[in-house]
């Protein structure tokens, strides 16, 4: 039977098991490669960046996280390891990926299950732009979110809009691939007009684009309380 980290922070076997699955994935790659599936090295979150995500979420003492994009589960494993190490009595991870059983043949979900994480994680296989709206409608609340889904500007923008309602005031939103202009432009709107702020040093020494030196990942603190901006005060953001 799985056991969970205690409230006083004592680490037991379950988070260590998750860490071992993470390490094996980083060293050996996924247990199988789906035919014509996305390239593991290209789409997966590097282990070092996963460590930074885990450490930040542990520091934030998160109990509930929403993730967009499962792929080969490298980021989901890091997030779940953090959830287990924070001492939350009811850790919960909601993962949204409409392509998990098509493009990825279920490999990411199988890895989460192999670490016993189906006890705390749930997989939603519909577009995030639809499902997040329903989560917001029912008042679902999370401590943090990790965004690595569609990289089209309009989809990222919609994801961030609803996550701004779902993630609690003062919570954290992390994004992968902010080195892509479409992703960075979307988050810049929320910085410029809604008070989201980069967390200094949160993901320091992470992967960067060799050509531009732009960081791969970004972490943002949501304002507390949530702002209600006047449309007349709109500021151009790109």
């Amino acid at each position: 039977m799985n056991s969970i980290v205690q409230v006083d922070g004592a680490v037991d076997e379950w988070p260590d098991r998750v860490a071992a699955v993470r390490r094996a994935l980083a060293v050996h790659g996924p247990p199988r490669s789906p035919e014509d599936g996305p390239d593991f090295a290209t789409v997966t979150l590097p282990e070092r960046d996963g460590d930074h995500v885990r450490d930040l979420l542990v520091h934030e003492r998160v109990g509930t996280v929403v993730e967009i994009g499962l792929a080969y589960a490298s980021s989901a494993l890091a997030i779940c390891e953090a959830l287990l190490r924070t001492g939350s009595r009811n850790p919960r991870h909601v993962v949204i990926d409409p392509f998990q059983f098509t493009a990825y043949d279920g490999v990411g979900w199988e890895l989460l299950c192999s670490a016993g994480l189906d006890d705390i994680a749930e997989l939603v296989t519909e577009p995030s732009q639809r499902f997040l709206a329903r989560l917001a409608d029912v008042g679902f609340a999370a401590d943090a979110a990790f965004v690595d889904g569609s990289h089209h500007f309009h989809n990222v923008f919609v994801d961030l809009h609803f996550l701004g309602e779902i993630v609690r005031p003062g919570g954290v939103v992390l994004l992968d691939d902010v080195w892509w202009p479409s992703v960075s432009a979307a988050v810049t709107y929320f910085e410029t007009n809604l008070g989201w702020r980069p967390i200094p040093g949160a993901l320091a020494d992470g992967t960067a684009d060799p050509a531009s030196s732009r960081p791969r990942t970004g972490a943002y603190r949501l304002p507390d309380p949530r702002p209600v901006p006047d449309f007349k005060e709109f500021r151009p953001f790109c």
Side-chain angles (χ1 to χ4, degrees), residues 45-46 49 145-151 153 156 160 173-189 191 196 198 203 206-209 212-220:
L45 187 72
D49 298 278
F146 184 87
V147 182
D148 188 17
S150 169
H151 290 6
F153 168 83
V156 181
L160 296 180
V173 173
L174 301 96
L175 294 94
D176 191 24
D177 293 329
V178 291
W179 52 20
W180 284 100
S182 56
V183 178
S184 65
V187 75
T188 298
Y189 166 80
E191 287 186 78
W196 294 25
L203 305 175
T207 303
D209 181 7
S212 66
S213 298
R214 296 178 66 180
R216 173 174 178 146
T217 54
Y220 300 85

Side-chain angles (χ1 to χ4, degrees), residues 2 8 10 29 43 54 56 65 85 89 91 96 106 114-115 164 166 173 183 185 191 193 197 204 216:
N2 290 321
D8 63 4
V43 303
R54 176 202 61 200
L56 174 60
V65 179
R85 294 193 188 281
R89 292 187 178 276
I96 308 168
S114 74
I166 290 167
V173 173
V183 178
E191 287 186 78
N193 287 280
R197 291 291 175 260
R216 173 174 178 146

Side-chain angles (χ1 to χ4, degrees), residues 7 17 36 62 64 78-79 83-84 88 90-91 94 97-98 120 163-164 167 169 176 199 231 237:
V7 175
R17 176 182 172 187
D36 299 324
V62 298
T64 300
I79 292 165
L83 283 165
L84 296 176
S88 172
N90 297 293
V94 179
D97 189 343
I120 68 170
L163 289 173
V167 175
D176 191 24
I199 302 175
F231 75 91
F237 58 97

